[in-house]
């Protein structure tokens, strides 16, 4: 089952203080868009872990937890949108 | 899943969606800050910074059986998603011995692909069966 976590104000980002962090640009150079994995029917879905709100709790959800069940994974532009 | 935080998900569920659905949303409302998951699934719009209306049907083995992606202004057809899931479940339960032709919905004719059916689909399946 999804594991509950305590909500906080901020999540850590970036690298250690005083050290040069990798810039977006250098990462994009080494990863051209053409090589992005594409979703294909008949092939396994990419696994992921994501924070979620479920029944009054904040939980972490891994797609792999749902192996053995049918899953409908929906993306949408934003909360409080109308469509 | 959207780029909104879990805090915004909570507010949307508690203040609006729970007024549409008794008890609120019964499944996880996932947060994808930065669109990392959406990028892998090919539904993140870099320019707008949001995710488009992508819908993926994943079977119990983790295999993607189907997907649909729409631009934001047009909503989905939930009945069609349910119909597809019912069709994929039927095919899976039959271990691939049955297939659902165009326009199939529960109760309608299925096909049993095999050497006897070659060139004979027209005898059992009529074009008006493609429509409701």
């Amino acid at each position: 089952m999804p594991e509950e976590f305590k909500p906080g104000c901020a999540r850590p980002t970036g690298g250690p203080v005083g050290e040069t962090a990798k810039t977006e640009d250098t990462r994009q150079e080494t990863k051209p868009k053409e090589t992005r994995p594409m979703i294909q029917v008949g092939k396994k879905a990419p696994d992921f872990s994501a924070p979620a709100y479920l029944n009054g709790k904040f939980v972490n959800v891994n797609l792999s937890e749902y192996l053995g069940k049918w899953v409908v994974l929906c993306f949408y532009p934003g909360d409080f949108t109308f469509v | 899943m959207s780029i909104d935080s879990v805090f915004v998900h909570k507010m949307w569920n508690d203040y609006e969606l729970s007024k549409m659905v008794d008890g609120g949303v019964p499944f996880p409302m996932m947060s994808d800050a930065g669109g990392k998951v959406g990028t892998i699934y090919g539904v993140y719009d870099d320019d707008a910074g949001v995710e488009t209306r992508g819908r993926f049907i994943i079977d119990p083995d983790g295999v993607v059986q189907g997907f649909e992606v729409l631009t934001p202004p047009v909503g989905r057809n939930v009945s069609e998603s349910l119909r597809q899931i019912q069709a994929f479940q039927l095919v899976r339960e039959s271990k691939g011995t049955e297939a659902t032709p165009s326009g199939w919905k529960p109760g309608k004719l299925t096909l049993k692909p095999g050497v006897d059916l070659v060139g004979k689909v027209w005898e059992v399946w009529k074009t008006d069966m493609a429509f409701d």
Side-chain angles (χ1 to χ4, degrees), chain A residues 21-66:
Chain A
K22 282 182 207 163
T23 67
E24 287 282 329
D25 289 330
T26 52
R27 263 188 288 159
Q28 276 173 356
E29 271 170 37
T30 54
K31 202 178 81 178
K33 283 187 178 181
E34 289 75 30
T35 62
R36 274 180 190 165
M38 292 294 292
I39 301 291
Q40 264 188 290
V41 291
K43 298 282 193 286
K44 292 250 185 176
D47 197 10
F48 60 82
S49 178
Y53 179 64
L54 173 64
N55 298 328
K57 289 177 177 173
F58 294 121
V59 298
N60 274 314
V61 170
N62 298 296
L63 180 63
S64 53
E65 289 167 20
Y66 291 84

Side-chain angles (χ1 to χ4, degrees), chain A residues 5 7-8 33 36-37 39-48 50-55 58 61 63 66-81 83, chain B residues 1-2 4 6-10 12-14 27-31 40-41 43 46 50-64 72 75-76 85 88-89 92:
Chain A
F5 71 89
K33 283 187 178 181
R36 274 180 190 165
I39 301 291
Q40 264 188 290
V41 291
K43 298 282 193 286
K44 292 250 185 176
D47 197 10
F48 60 82
Y53 179 64
L54 173 64
N55 298 328
F58 294 121
V61 170
L63 180 63
Y66 291 84
L67 282 171
K69 292 182 174 179
W70 287 86
V71 171
V72 177
L73 173 61
C74 279
F75 296 86
Y76 60 96
D79 291 348
F80 296 101
T81 57
V83 181
Chain B
M1 175 171 278
S2 75
D4 299 282
V6 289
F7 309 115
V8 183
H9 284 341
K10 174 176 163 48
W12 193 29
N13 176 74
D14 295 0
F27 48 78
M29 298 173 74
M30 294 180 287
S31 173
I40 294 169
Y41 278 79
V43 298
D46 269 330
V50 298
E51 280 158 358
T52 49
R53 295 189 195 279
R55 182 230 60 191
F56 299 80
I57 296 173
I58 302 170
D59 78 8
D61 297 322
V63 172
V64 177
R76 314 167 214 267
I85 294 165
F88 285 124
Q89 288 178 338
R92 185 179 172 92

Side-chain angles (χ1 to χ4, degrees), chain B residues 18-53:
Chain B
S18 57
K19 296 186 174 90
M20 300 177 185
V21 180
D22 272 349
V25 176
F27 48 78
M29 298 173 74
M30 294 180 287
S31 173
D32 185 24
K36 291 196 178 80
V37 179
T39 299
I40 294 169
Y41 278 79
V43 298
Y44 182 69
D45 181 340
D46 269 330
D47 301 326
V50 298
E51 280 158 358
T52 49
R53 295 189 195 279

